[in-house]
């Protein structure tokens, strides 16, 4: 199903639309030690398959222009990025308008036992950046975030406060959180509280 069709219909809303982050970005200061941005309305495709299935592996590479990453790794090509979730599961995130067509292309070139599920409406992406971003994360998860254990490009699915997040390190001072829609408001409130001592800036 195309979750962001070009035809007229209900306007899609991000899980944090009620927080009006765009207005907060316009009004907020730029002096905080933590920056937060919601990358809203992206396309989220969950791929399941075996690395022993050449059609699955090669089909992904053919369509996406990158290989499926190994354990606890991620990869990116252009506006698309893919995260390892488990030995037979990956999360592909693409621009929202491209999700439906890319899913069709992947299905056309893959064969054998595999599955692709469009979960775009059920998740959102939050980016935490700044010199104190890692300190906020240390308050939120018990996972070892030190550079030697969590280099740029690594990805884990782990606890985050009282929920769960897929955490990917995208830069020395930048981290990406994929959170479920039903917990997005909880995570937003948690991050505001956890960032209070450092100063939180919302960016567009």
């Amino acid at each position: 199903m195309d979750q962001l069709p070009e035809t007229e219909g209900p306007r899609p809303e991000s899980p944090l639309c009620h927080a009006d982050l765009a207005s907060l970005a316009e009004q907020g200061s730029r002096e905080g030690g933590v920056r937060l941005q919601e990358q809203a309305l992206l396309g989220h495709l969950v791929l399941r398959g075996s690395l022993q299935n050449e059609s699955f592996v090669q089909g992904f590479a053919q369509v996406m222009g990158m290989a499926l990453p190994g354990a606890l790794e991620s990869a990116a090509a252009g506006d698309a990025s893919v995260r390892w979730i488990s030995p037979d599961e990956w999360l592909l995130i693409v621009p929202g308008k491209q999700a439906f067509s890319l899913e069709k292309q992947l299905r056309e070139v893959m064969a054998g036992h595999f599955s692709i599920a469009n979960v775009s409406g059920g998740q959102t992406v939050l980016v935490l950046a700044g010199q104190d971003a890692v300190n906020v994360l240390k308050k939120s998860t018990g996972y070892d975030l030190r550079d030697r254990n969590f280099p740029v490009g690594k990805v884990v699915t782990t606890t985050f406060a009282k929920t769960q997040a897929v955490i990917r390190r995208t830069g020395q001072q930048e981290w990406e959180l994929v959170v479920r829609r039903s917990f997005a408001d909880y995570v937003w409130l948690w991050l505001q509280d956890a960032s209070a001592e450092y100063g939180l800036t919302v960016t567009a």
Side-chain angles (χ1 to χ4, degrees):
M1 175 183 176
D2 189 353
Q3 299 194 24
L4 291 175
E6 297 293 347
T7 56
E8 292 184 5
R11 182 173 62 88
E13 295 181 333
S14 85
L16 290 177
C17 64
H18 66 282
D20 196 6
L21 298 185
S23 294
L24 291 178
E26 293 178 359
Q27 300 168 7
S29 126
R30 295 291 183 270
E31 299 178 357
V34 182
R35 300 187 303 277
L36 172 69
Q37 177 190 33
E38 182 189 19
Q39 295 184 342
L41 303 179
L42 296 176
H44 297 236
L45 300 176
V46 173
L47 285 72
R48 302 294 299 266
S50 171
L51 292 176
Q52 305 305 313
N53 180 350
E54 292 186 5
S55 175
F56 174 73
V57 174
Q58 295 176 5
F60 179 85
Q62 175 184 331
V63 173
M64 300 308 305
M66 58 181 162
L68 287 167
L72 302 178
E73 296 179 344
S74 63
D79 294 330
S81 55
V82 60
R83 298 138 196 78
W84 181 92
I85 302 297
S86 74
D88 68 347
E89 180 179 358
W90 293 263
L91 173 62
L92 174 64
I93 296 185
V94 299
K97 295 292 185 181
Q98 297 178 18
F100 184 60
S101 62
L102 285 173
E103 179 183 353
K104 290 177 61 179
Q105 292 176 52
L106 289 168
R107 290 184 180 280
E108 288 170 358
V109 298
M110 291 179 176
H113 185 67
F114 73 93
S115 71
I116 304 175
N118 189 330
V119 297
S120 304
Q123 300 184 155
T124 193
V125 178
L126 300 175
V127 175
L128 274 184
Q131 62 184 8
D132 291 308
V134 68
N135 293 324
V136 172
L137 291 174
K138 286 177 180 178
K139 293 183 179 183
S140 309
T141 179
Y143 199 86
D144 185 353
L145 300 170
R146 288 175 293 180
D147 291 348
R148 67 188 183 193
N149 186 63
F150 211 132
V152 174
K154 184 172 180 177
V155 58
V156 298
T157 302
T158 187
T159 55
F160 189 89
K162 293 184 178 180
T163 182
Q164 174 183 290
V166 179
I167 304 177
R168 180 170 71 122
R169 190 170 190 176
T170 54
Q172 283 303 119
Q173 295 185 342
E174 184 172 285
W175 308 75
E176 173 196 86
L177 310 175
V178 180
V179 298
R180 295 182 181 179
R181 186 182 196 97
S182 55
F183 284 97
D185 186 59
Y186 166 75
V187 172
W188 160 235
L189 294 173
W190 174 276
L191 290 174
Q192 290 179 76
D193 184 66
S195 302
E197 66 179 290
Y198 310 113
L200 177 64
T201 297
V202 176
T203 61

